[in-house]
Each structure stands twice: as C-alpha cells, then as structure tokens.
Amino acid sequence: MPTFLRAFLITAIATVSTVLAWSSSRADEARPAPLTTAPDFSGGGEWINSPPLSMSKLRGKVVLVEFWTYSCINCLRVAPYVSQWHARYADQGLVVVGVHTPEYGYERVSANVREAVQRLGIHHPVVQDNGYRIWNAYGNQYWPALYLIDSEGRVVYRHFGEGDYDRTEARIQALLAAR
C-alpha cells in the first residue's frame, strides 16, 4: 500500500473515531443524571454575594450549580444565561450557585475572582473552589458544567459546555413546578 494512502486511511480512521467519541460524550450529557444526592459545598473557600451555603439549608429549593472559571471563553458565553435564570426564577425558588474552580494560577486570587464577578454582573452566590474539593465531590471534569438539583437534594440533570439553553430552562421550570 502506498505511503500516502496509508497516511490518508490512518487520518480518516482517527477522524471517525474522534467524531464517534464526541457523539458518544454528547449523548451521555443528554441523558438525565442518575438520581444521586447532591454533594455539599464544604471544602470550598471564600463566598461572594452570599454567606456560605449548604445543601441542607437549600432543601426545598431547586438549585443550579454552575462550575466555571472567569478566563474560560465557554464559561463567559454561558454566564448571561445563568444570570438570566437567576434573575427570572429566584423568586420562584431557584438558587443559583457558581462554583469558581480555577484553571490557571491567577484565577485562584480572590481579588481577581471578585473583580470578574462584578465586571460580569453576577449577582448569585459564588464560592471559590481553589482546592477542587467541590469539583471532585461532583466528579466534574468540564468548564462550564451545569447541575440541576431538585427540592429533595438530588442531582437530576447535568449539562456540559455551551448550548441547550432552552432545554436547561425547561428543566428548571419543570422542577420549580414540581416542588
């Protein structure tokens, strides 16, 4: 087999494998999360816009946990939707909690996070997770990541990355209606 043909076939197989893996991961995120008790926010650091919160104090509320970091372009694109949901549904029982988990060293600096929260117009509670304790408790692997928690304290939905805003909002509305 000629070298150029072998290289072409290897590239084609790698591309197909990557697309299939991506499709599989997208299919995984589209499925509802298994019903598991939501981990607490213990082990996090400084809180912005709120005193420290706990899942036990939030029982009876619908909670949206957003893992983000202020230098991530994907997180910045999701932020306006999360802020809108907070503004639109807080009076109906939705509590949004941003878990700021840094990717880079400068994102660990509290003053930088506070400045970013102010600049981005974020009014919901944000906890700094510099030690990745909350991140690891959720088994999270992505920025941004959204987890919806029902009024019983169970993770019932998750979404990784951008998009599917209508579906996420519909899930918020359904959970609020069911409480």
Side-chain angles (χ1 to χ4, degrees):
M1 178 180 300
T3 304
F4 76 90
L5 185 56
R6 180 178 299 165
F8 173 78
L9 288 174
I10 290 171
T11 302
I13 291 169
T15 301
V16 169
S17 296
T18 300
V19 168
L20 290 175
W22 181 82
S23 296
S24 173
S25 70
R26 296 293 292 183
D28 287 345
E29 82 180 44
R31 284 189 241 148
L35 290 178
T36 58
T37 301
D40 205 9
F41 301 115
S42 58
E46 181 179 340
W47 283 80
I48 302 167
N49 296 336
S50 172
L53 298 175
S54 68
M55 290 309 299
S56 62
K57 290 181 184 174
L58 296 174
R59 193 62 48 93
K61 303 276 188 183
V62 173
V63 181
L64 172 63
V65 177
E66 176 202 22
F67 287 91
W68 70 291
T69 187
Y70 71 81
S71 293
C72 166
I73 187 63
N74 305 99
C75 297
L76 295 175
R77 290 178 183 147
V78 170
Y81 294 92
V82 174
S83 290
Q84 288 171 13
W85 295 328
H86 167 70
R88 192 173 297 149
Y89 298 111
D91 290 344
Q92 297 176 41
L94 177 68
V95 177
V96 175
V97 177
V99 179
H100 185 273
T101 309
E103 184 174 12
Y104 303 108
Y106 60 86
E107 294 172 327
R108 296 175 179 277
V109 179
S110 294
N112 294 347
V113 178
R114 283 192 305 276
E115 187 279 325
V117 165
Q118 183 177 2
R119 177 175 33 84
L120 296 169
I122 295 171
H123 300 289
H124 55 268
V126 173
V127 59
Q128 281 188 250
D129 187 29
N130 288 351
Y132 282 63
R133 288 188 177 102
I134 302 167
W135 174 284
N136 290 331
Y138 275 80
N140 192 49
Q141 300 177 39
Y142 308 101
W143 291 281
L146 302 174
Y147 293 81
L148 273 173
I149 298 153
D150 70 9
S151 60
E152 301 293 319
R154 298 173 301 206
V155 176
V156 295
Y157 173 86
R158 62 180 178 232
H159 179 77
F160 309 119
E162 298 178 56
D164 287 330
Y165 303 115
D166 291 340
R167 187 176 67 168
T168 301
E169 186 167 11
R171 290 300 300 269
I172 291 169
Q173 293 169 343
L175 288 170
L176 289 170
R179 348 183 269 127

